[in-house]
Amino acid sequence: IFFLFVPRDMLLESLSIFHMLKMMSMAFTMYYYLHKTRKAPYFFQLAFSVGYAFSGFVLMLYITNQWMDIGVFFPLLMLGVWKVYKEGKVALYVGILTLSLINSYYLTFMILLYVFLRRGLSIVCFRDKERNFHLWELGLGTLSSLCLSAFIVLPQLLQTMESARFGSGREGGILSQYVQIIRQVQGAYTTRWFTLLGLSLAGAVIVKGWIQCKKEKRILFFTGANILIITLELFFESINLLWHFGSYVQYPIRNGFIINFVVLETACFFAGRIYGEAQGSFQGHKKGKILIGTLASFVIGGVGMAVYSRFPGLPVRRVFHVLAIVCIIAFLLYIVWLHQTKWSVNGIIFL
């Protein structure tokens, strides 16, 4: 619909706007998910929703933004999973999963792998018999979506099975391919770590949440293991290749939106545990201080851009080192900020 209003000679110039619209959609669906499932202050719901739209996954895939469509669907799909287990309703899950499969069965299979790994972890941690019953509903909903999207998934799947990804043309076929995958250890690309961009605030909130909820062992284990499930691929190439169902060319973390989603929703969960449903504002931040902080941010950002522009064509590894230092510094500053700042709601102070 967007391109119906764009002249043919302006297609390339319009891609930035098109990309921005997809980012806005990602932020909206993420906010809708957090608002429905996480009882946290509006500030954190908004910050983490925007953070999802500006995640490293989005910034890395600027020139291949067709994959961003799944990033838009994913929060709605996880809301559908939440409705299955909370309300026993499968309509939203089946509808969004079908659309996702039609859009990209490859990325959607990664999502399904995560959904069932997460559900298995939840059953182990919380042992909820009622939720175990809803596992059947989740399975039947998944099967229904596969049937509804079979007209496009099956031809594409057959084509993929004949490709090099599944060992076609190689001695030993798919079995030897996966034996070789398990032997892989070292990551092939530095750019995989760019997936973690923009998670400094979320990381600080999670650390604070773990400290304050240290007596709730099951929650600590579930949240830690949930993050570990999806982030191990950053450290082990064999796990990364298994997530990708075989080999890949460039773009090593194609499911990076799941990493960002998991970290951000976990942070929003802990923000709700720490501050409740508080809708107040942070104390000690007068308008003058807010103005000074905003101006300082622009000045520091402008200086950083000016310095960076004097060194064009930096190697990827050098760029990564610079960004890693910035993210670590931001993480430490957020830790201090969360520790010293108070949240005021109707006269109540939450430390």
Side-chain angles (χ1 to χ4, degrees), residues 5 10 25 79 114 120 160 173 175 262 337 348:
F5 300 93
M10 293 292 292
S25 300
L79 179 61
Y114 167 71
T160 303
L175 181 60
V262 170
W337 177 63
I348 301 176

Side-chain angles (χ1 to χ4, degrees), residues 23-84:
M23 293 175 69
M24 293 169 61
S25 300
M26 288 181 66
F28 173 76
T29 57
M30 183 63 171
Y31 174 78
Y32 189 71
Y33 170 81
L34 294 178
H35 181 70
K36 291 291 185 180
T37 64
R38 298 290 179 261
K39 297 180 180 180
Y42 172 75
F43 168 82
F44 290 105
Q45 293 182 10
L46 181 64
F48 295 146
S49 300
V50 174
Y52 180 66
F54 282 90
S55 62
F57 169 82
V58 172
L59 300 178
M60 286 171 58
L61 301 180
Y62 182 84
I63 61 174
T64 54
N65 68 7
Q66 69 272 15
W67 287 349
M68 289 176 61
D69 296 348
I70 296 297
V72 176
F73 290 140
F74 184 53
L76 297 178
L77 181 62
M78 293 307 295
L79 179 61
V81 174
W82 184 84
K83 283 183 173 293
V84 170

Side-chain angles (χ1 to χ4, degrees), residues 130-295:
E130 183 179 351
R131 293 188 178 186
N132 293 351
F133 172 76
H134 288 311
L135 184 63
W136 290 100
E137 295 178 345
L138 187 69
L140 290 175
T142 302
L143 182 61
S144 300
S145 295
L146 289 170
C147 292
L148 290 171
S149 60
F151 71 95
I152 193 170
V153 170
L154 284 180
Q156 291 182 349
L157 186 60
L158 291 174
Q159 184 180 22
T160 303
M161 292 292 290
E162 297 176 357
S163 69
R165 179 182 301 278
F166 287 92
S168 179
R170 299 186 183 184
E171 185 178 355
I174 187 172
L175 181 60
S176 64
Q177 172 82 352
Y178 278 91
V179 170
Q180 184 178 0
I181 284 175
I182 295 174
R183 293 175 178 173
Q184 294 285 340
V185 177
Q186 187 175 0
Y189 292 90
T190 300
T191 50
R192 70 180 58 228
W193 296 101
F194 291 157
T195 305
L196 300 179
L197 289 177
L199 296 179
S200 297
L201 174 59
V205 174
I206 291 173
V207 170
K208 183 177 176 64
W210 278 339
I211 293 173
Q212 293 200 202
C213 301
K214 59 184 177 181
K215 293 183 179 180
E216 302 182 65
K217 303 298 184 182
R218 292 187 179 184
I219 290 179
L220 292 182
F221 179 80
F222 175 79
T223 54
N226 188 34
I227 293 175
L228 197 62
I229 283 174
I230 194 63
T231 56
L232 279 177
E233 61 180 319
L234 296 173
F235 301 93
F236 300 100
E237 180 65 3
S238 57
I239 296 177
N240 183 35
L241 290 170
L242 288 172
W243 274 103
H244 288 77
F245 306 106
S247 61
Y248 57 81
V249 179
Q250 298 183 346
Y251 308 113
I253 308 294
R254 302 181 184 184
N255 58 344
F257 62 95
I258 303 180
I259 296 177
N260 290 100
F261 175 89
V262 170
V263 175
L264 292 169
E265 72 149 350
T266 303
C268 197
F269 166 77
F270 279 117
R273 294 299 293 264
I274 297 169
Y275 304 112
E277 297 184 73
Q279 300 297 324
S281 58
F282 284 109
Q283 277 193 342
H285 289 266
K286 298 180 180 179
K287 292 183 179 180
K289 291 184 178 181
I290 294 176
L291 180 60
I292 293 173
T294 303
L295 292 176

Side-chain angles (χ1 to χ4, degrees), residues 6 8 51 55 69 86 99 142 197 306 309 314 316:
V6 178
R8 291 182 62 85
S55 62
D69 296 348
K86 291 291 185 179
L99 290 176
T142 302
L197 289 177
S309 64
L314 288 177
V316 173

Side-chain angles (χ1 to χ4, degrees), residues 97-153:
L97 180 58
T98 302
L99 290 176
S100 298
L101 286 166
I102 293 173
N103 183 271
S104 174
Y105 84 92
Y106 174 50
L107 293 178
T108 305
F109 281 0
M110 294 185 190
I111 292 174
L112 289 175
L113 180 59
Y114 167 71
V115 166
F116 283 96
L117 285 174
R118 172 177 172 144
R119 188 46 51 194
L121 178 63
S122 177
I123 292 173
V124 170
C125 290
F126 302 110
R127 300 175 184 176
D128 190 331
K129 294 183 179 180
E130 183 179 351
R131 293 188 178 186
N132 293 351
F133 172 76
H134 288 311
L135 184 63
W136 290 100
E137 295 178 345
L138 187 69
L140 290 175
T142 302
L143 182 61
S144 300
S145 295
L146 289 170
C147 292
L148 290 171
S149 60
F151 71 95
I152 193 170
V153 170

